[in-house]
Amino acid sequence: MSELQKSFAKAKLAGLPSEAPLPLHAFREEDEDAEGYTLDSLSLPESAQEEDSSSASSTSSASSTGTIKPNWPLSWTNYFAQEYFLENVRPDEVVIHHVYLTVPSNKGPLFVLHHGAGSSGLSFAVFATELRKALPDAGVLSAEARGHGETVVKSHDGTVKSKPHDFTIRLLSSDLSDTVKLVQAKLNWPQLPDIVLVGHSLGGAIVTDVALRRCLGAAVLGYAILDVVEGSAMDALKQMNLYLATRPKSFPSLASAIHWHIRSRTLRNDLSARVSVPPLLYQNLEASSDSGSEPWAWRTDLLITEKYWTSWFTGLSKKFLEAKGGKLLILAGTDRLDKELMIGQMQGKYQLQVLPEAGHFIHEDQPRKTAMLVLDFYRRNVRSALVLPPKVSQMMKETKTANTRSITPGCEDGDTL
């Protein structure tokens, strides 16, 4: 925006009333729990900042202080360099894995991110930006589970399965490890870079299973799970049906969907909501005002996964403590810890961090703080930081591992791409 345009805009805004005459769905109050992401201090690439400032007169909202608060969606291109649709042919299905990717440089690590149930790969968009601001050589790969985002499951005849029925944790973790291997093949990497797995909620259970089964072999330095432990997850499942029954079935616009996520405090960061909410919905062209339905409906039907809910989290604490690699648990409150994790914490088996100002979507509510915790975790576990001399047996094991790192590893139970 030119200086002349800015002056003209300021002059126009000065004449507006303190409460702009916009539809109710376009308004939101300032959220004190978010990390201070406002139009004046967006943690965005310059291109996104220009988009925000130059478009402030379109679909925007206003706080009681008169500051313009936009609710229009943001593009994934502000946060990731590429997206890929990767075909994975299996005996009983063909999966088109959708991923967002920024490739690591200068031997930097790759952070492999997995969202929770009902979310998408863009749940980690702002987090990924904050991570790379602090470590520019890092790569980020944000995967989307089957039935979520733009990942598609087909039959061999090409027919799209509108409701894939297998959501076992074993298959979901195989999907993730296969996705990483497909990216490796796509980009002709001779070997996988150092990997840190990061998963939120269900994604935490998925990355833990990948680490436990060693599906990515010695490339995995460690894994971090965000706001999910076995005990509290099981308790939360008891309320899941009520939550799904009471949330809106559809929305008149993407802006209203973003607004609902902020107003309901499902998300506490309006910037993250603007990029993570739109992929949760699809435009239902058959919706009509006569039938009372609205055009933007939920993309993922969580009810069809109900029979898998308990199995996702059963034994999670034990698996988390037993899997090889560094371990990080970030919670929104210490009350979420169960007995097994309390004992493990006292024994120093994993690193625990708490962000009490965040809600369940820690990485969206507090992306900068979460990214710094994950980055510090990586630095604690990076191979070059190990200074103690290893035992002879360990040296022999590492030499053997180094000689085989270029071979795409399979899971210890025999699962392969």
Side-chain angles (χ1 to χ4, degrees), residues 335-362:
D335 58 318
R336 290 166 164 81
L337 281 177
D338 55 31
K339 181 179 179 179
E340 195 163 5
L341 288 178
M342 286 182 181
I343 295 173
Q345 168 62 14
M346 289 187 289
Q347 295 174 339
K349 291 185 176 180
Y350 67 94
Q351 180 183 346
L352 173 66
Q353 297 289 346
V354 180
L355 295 179
E357 63 271 34
H360 177 52
F361 290 85
I362 292 178

Side-chain angles (χ1 to χ4, degrees), residues 237-255:
L237 290 178
K238 299 173 184 177
Q239 306 298 322
M240 181 61 72
N241 279 296
L242 176 61
Y243 167 74
L244 295 177
T246 55
R247 73 176 183 174
K249 303 298 183 186
S250 57
F251 301 92
S253 66
L254 291 178

Side-chain angles (χ1 to χ4, degrees), residues 37-96:
Y37 292 100
T38 65
L39 189 59
D40 298 321
S41 60
L42 292 179
S43 180
L44 278 172
E46 291 182 3
S47 60
Q49 293 187 34
E50 292 172 0
E51 174 190 343
D52 283 349
S53 60
S54 64
S55 308
S57 62
S58 58
T59 53
S60 62
S61 57
S63 71
S64 57
T65 61
T67 304
I68 299 299
K69 303 293 179 184
N71 266 350
W72 66 87
L74 293 173
S75 170
W76 68 267
T77 56
N78 294 318
Y79 305 93
F80 298 95
Q82 301 158 298
E83 66 171 348
Y84 287 115
F85 294 88
L86 306 167
E87 185 177 65
N88 185 4
V89 180
R90 291 176 173 156
D92 56 345
E93 64 183 9
V94 178
V95 186
I96 309 299

Side-chain angles (χ1 to χ4, degrees), residues 25-241:
H25 73 264
F27 284 75
R28 64 173 286 282
E29 298 292 337
E30 179 69 33
D31 192 333
E32 296 179 356
D33 289 331
E35 281 191 343
Y37 292 100
T38 65
L39 189 59
D40 298 321
S41 60
L42 292 179
S43 180
L44 278 172
E46 291 182 3
S47 60
Q49 293 187 34
E50 292 172 0
E51 174 190 343
D52 283 349
S53 60
S54 64
S55 308
S57 62
S58 58
T59 53
S60 62
S61 57
S63 71
S64 57
T65 61
T67 304
I68 299 299
K69 303 293 179 184
N71 266 350
W72 66 87
L74 293 173
S75 170
W76 68 267
T77 56
N78 294 318
Y79 305 93
F80 298 95
Q82 301 158 298
E83 66 171 348
Y84 287 115
F85 294 88
L86 306 167
E87 185 177 65
N88 185 4
V89 180
R90 291 176 173 156
D92 56 345
E93 64 183 9
V94 178
V95 186
I96 309 299
H97 300 287
H98 181 236
V99 300
Y100 298 100
L101 177 68
T102 299
V103 177
S105 59
N106 300 319
K107 297 184 179 181
L110 178 66
F111 292 84
V112 177
L113 319 174
H114 201 295
H115 59 82
S119 293
S120 81
L122 292 183
S123 175
F124 280 98
V126 182
F127 167 90
T129 296
E130 294 294 344
L131 194 67
R132 296 197 71 255
K133 281 170 59 178
L135 186 63
D137 289 338
V140 285
L141 186 160
S142 191
E144 292 187 326
R146 56 180 57 221
H148 294 69
E150 295 186 60
T151 292
V152 176
V153 181
K154 298 180 178 181
S155 302
H156 282 282
D157 62 4
T159 304
V160 175
K161 295 182 179 180
S162 59
K163 293 183 178 180
H165 296 293
D166 192 344
F167 286 93
T168 59
I169 195 69
R170 179 61 55 90
L171 184 57
L172 293 173
S173 64
S174 293
D175 282 348
L176 178 60
S177 59
D178 283 358
T179 298
V180 176
K181 297 170 192 175
L182 287 166
V183 168
Q184 179 187 10
K186 176 77 174 179
L187 300 180
N188 296 314
W189 290 342
Q191 65 181 42
L192 289 172
D194 287 341
I195 289 175
V196 176
L197 301 170
V198 183
H200 170 249
S201 196
L202 168 60
I206 292 172
V207 302
T208 298
D209 196 65
V210 170
L212 181 70
R213 297 163 60 207
R214 295 186 62 78
C215 296
L216 298 174
V220 176
L221 296 177
Y223 50 100
I225 65 176
L226 311 180
D227 208 48
V228 57
V229 296
E230 183 176 350
S232 60
M234 292 299 190
D235 291 338
L237 290 178
K238 299 173 184 177
Q239 306 298 322
M240 181 61 72
N241 279 296

